[in-house]
Amino acid sequence: MKRRDFIALGGLAAAGTLMPAWFGRAVASDVLATPLEQALKKPLADAGLEAARSAGASYCDVRIGRYLRQYVMTREDKVENVVNGESIGAGIRVIVDGAWGFAATNVLTTQAIADAARQAAAIARANARLQESPVQLAPAPALGEVAWRTPIRRNGMEVPVEEKVDLLLGVNAAAMQAGANFVNSRMFVINEQKYFASTDGSYIDQDVHRIWAPFTVTAVDQSSGRFRTRDGLSAPMGLGYEYLDGDRSQRFELPGGVVAYGQSYDMREDAVAAAGQAREKLSAPSVEPGRYDLVLDPTNLFLTIHENVGHPLELDRVLGYEANYAGTSFATLDKRGEFQWGSDIVTLFADKTQPGSLGAVGYDDEGVQTKRWDLVRDGVLVDYQATRDQAHILGKTESDGCCYADSWSSVQFQRMPNVSLAAGTTPLSVQEMIAGVERGLYVHGRGSYSIDQQRYNSQFGGQLFYEIRNGEIAGMVEDAAYQIRTPEFWNACSAICDERDFRLGGSFFDGKGQPGQVSAVSHGSATTRFDGMNIINTARSLG
């Protein structure tokens, strides 16, 4: 099949093997750019609110959502798949007799939404018989009618599929010409059109955009059959298609010849570099295990922040509500305000307002305006992440605005906001940081990882490892991973580069909950040094 013919069919056909269950129905790409009619939303929401009140609800919120997702997958000179998906409907959450109830419908009529609200009320009333203590909602102001939009310059849903395919196949060709034996590249474009209304008196219209363009390059040693890979060093972002324009002002030239990117990405340049670095890995010596000072690039450190700060400070995990799925947390409530999480230069903050971040919205899925707050301040654990019905547990008078649902058909619950490490306050470049290291490893990119059930013991790999000797890059090494205990790791933090080096990484499909939901979240940092970390040789560990 010719590529143009494939595009014509692919834009209209859903592929079940690659489409998550929540993806929805397949639609043509030109339909994806057409928004919901604004005039329909408020009457639909009001029908749900009124029906819930009439059914005895003390509180109700209605979320009308249209979730658009487009995936484009390629390999070498072939298009593997194009998926356009739309999911649309309404979810109604209520409190009756102090208990939650939830119901949803994919029929957007006033009758269907009113019926769903009454069903939610009936479920809540049944739940109340088993409820040990009533739901306590932190107050939320009546906002009236407000709106928020991701500030984008080019809507990714409006970009023709052919243009996206041309970009990805061009990236693949460039990587192959630069020495790759195999390459696959993908593009994920998501638009969430969300309307929220509540009995508190808020009507919130939001239009949220996200984009990610990952790839994997593979180089093969034909004589031995050995192979090495290098994934892209881009971050998923809360931006439009302009993210892929390759703005040179967002380009970071780093020691060792590595190039990183901020809020603009040159995918072709990164793929060409990846081909050379994957081939270089084939001849790189295996790391000698032992104690090293780690210099972690934001493309690597973001995942450690995600797993060892973001997740263990989710209040529902701390309270044991997530014990059946991905564990609990060592960061119990008695540690708040006293526990030495890290050295005194470590401040870790939550922020759902960071421009360009995956988690940036104006309001969460409970109608709470988003904000920034500290989790760890000057090394001390000071706070957690709480929603409206959790705030009282911490003695707070308001929610942190970190409630989210991945679909209109999913109930909203506490999800990690963007969690980031504050940049250093003293001017410090990456080169200056490396110059102060006698024996160390400089690490880029996300690799494999392993974490215990309390987020206390962990092991992290990476994409690129460069040995540091006497303040200079000595060359690439392979087969490395660092093993850490969370508080020991953060207390070993000895230096953080300044704001000039601050960059975002992130997780596009972060899973949580039963039934499972996914969310997107960013984690920012500048390059950071951790002294005396244990490095293992993964090749020897595996025998």
Side-chain angles (χ1 to χ4, degrees), residues 240-261:
Y241 200 77
E242 69 275 1
Y243 175 55
L244 299 176
D245 66 10
D247 179 358
R248 304 289 284 185
S249 68
Q250 294 292 311
R251 185 177 181 274
F252 293 75
E253 293 189 7
L254 302 172
V258 180
V259 174
Y261 304 90

Side-chain angles (χ1 to χ4, degrees), residues 271-283:
V272 169
Q277 289 161 348
R279 193 150 295 282
E280 186 179 358
K281 284 184 177 188
L282 288 167
S283 58

Side-chain angles (χ1 to χ4, degrees), residues 308-309 312-313 315 317-319 328-342 374-384 393-394 454-456 485-488 491:
N308 290 69
V309 181
L313 295 183
L315 186 57
R317 187 183 299 277
V318 172
L319 297 172
T328 56
S329 172
F330 77 94
T332 49
L333 290 180
D334 59 294
K335 293 181 171 64
R336 186 186 185 197
E338 299 181 359
F339 185 69
Q340 194 68 34
W341 189 282
D374 287 344
L375 300 171
V376 174
R377 185 184 305 124
D378 301 329
V380 177
L381 172 62
V382 295
D383 212 345
Y384 300 87
I393 299 171
L394 300 176
Q454 289 194 312
R455 308 280 162 166
Y456 187 74
R485 290 189 175 96
T486 299
E488 293 175 11
N491 276 280

Side-chain angles (χ1 to χ4, degrees), residues 45 80 129 141 147 164 178 188 205 210 222 251 268 282 343 346 441 445 456 515 521:
E80 290 190 309
R129 299 175 191 147
K164 295 166 182 168
F188 304 95
D205 192 54
R210 296 192 289 270
Q222 299 294 345
R251 185 177 181 274
R268 183 185 185 281
L282 288 167
S343 66
V346 171
L441 284 182
Y456 187 74
V521 59

Side-chain angles (χ1 to χ4, degrees), residues 120-359:
I123 292 169
R125 188 169 286 107
N127 287 340
R129 299 175 191 147
L130 303 174
Q131 185 93 326
E132 294 183 2
S133 58
V135 173
Q136 298 181 50
L137 276 191
L143 299 172
E145 295 190 27
V146 294
W148 187 89
R149 304 281 186 272
T150 301
I152 62 173
R153 297 197 304 272
R154 193 178 184 194
N155 186 342
M157 291 296 172
E158 295 177 349
V159 176
V161 172
E162 184 173 4
E163 182 175 337
K164 295 166 182 168
V165 167
D166 284 342
L167 171 64
L168 296 181
L169 292 182
V171 165
N172 296 355
M176 297 289 284
Q177 291 168 6
N181 294 94
F182 304 100
V183 56
N184 62 69
S185 60
R186 287 91 62 200
M187 188 181 300
F188 304 95
V189 180
I190 286 180
N191 175 213
E192 296 180 350
Q193 301 168 15
K194 304 195 292 186
Y195 188 81
F196 174 93
S198 74
T199 49
D200 290 326
S202 294
Y203 296 86
I204 302 168
D205 192 54
Q206 297 196 93
D207 188 42
V208 183
H209 293 261
R210 296 192 289 270
I211 189 168
W212 188 27
F215 67 78
T216 300
V217 160
T218 302
V220 180
D221 181 345
Q222 299 294 345
S223 61
S224 67
R226 293 174 61 247
F227 66 91
R228 288 292 184 267
T229 64
R230 204 274 252 174
D231 293 343
L233 296 180
S234 71
M237 301 294 288
L239 296 169
Y241 200 77
E242 69 275 1
Y243 175 55
L244 299 176
D245 66 10
D247 179 358
R248 304 289 284 185
S249 68
Q250 294 292 311
R251 185 177 181 274
F252 293 75
E253 293 189 7
L254 302 172
V258 180
V259 174
Y261 304 90
Q263 295 199 7
S264 182
Y265 180 42
D266 188 333
M267 192 178 185
R268 183 185 185 281
E269 179 185 51
D270 193 22
V272 169
Q277 289 161 348
R279 193 150 295 282
E280 186 179 358
K281 284 184 177 188
L282 288 167
S283 58
S286 200
V287 71
E288 285 298 321
R291 293 281 175 177
Y292 290 78
D293 294 343
L294 287 181
V295 176
L296 299 185
D297 186 79
T299 56
N300 178 270
L301 184 55
F302 89 86
L303 184 61
T304 310
I305 294 172
H306 178 89
E307 301 293 353
N308 290 69
V309 181
H311 276 310
L313 295 183
E314 293 169 328
L315 186 57
D316 54 357
R317 187 183 299 277
V318 172
L319 297 172
Y321 300 164
E322 283 287 300
N324 285 346
Y325 183 37
T328 56
S329 172
F330 77 94
T332 49
L333 290 180
D334 59 294
K335 293 181 171 64
R336 186 186 185 197
E338 299 181 359
F339 185 69
Q340 194 68 34
W341 189 282
S343 66
D344 59 7
I345 65 171
V346 171
T347 290
L348 294 149
F349 62 92
D351 188 358
K352 285 188 69 66
T353 69
Q354 279 179 295
S357 67
L358 293 170

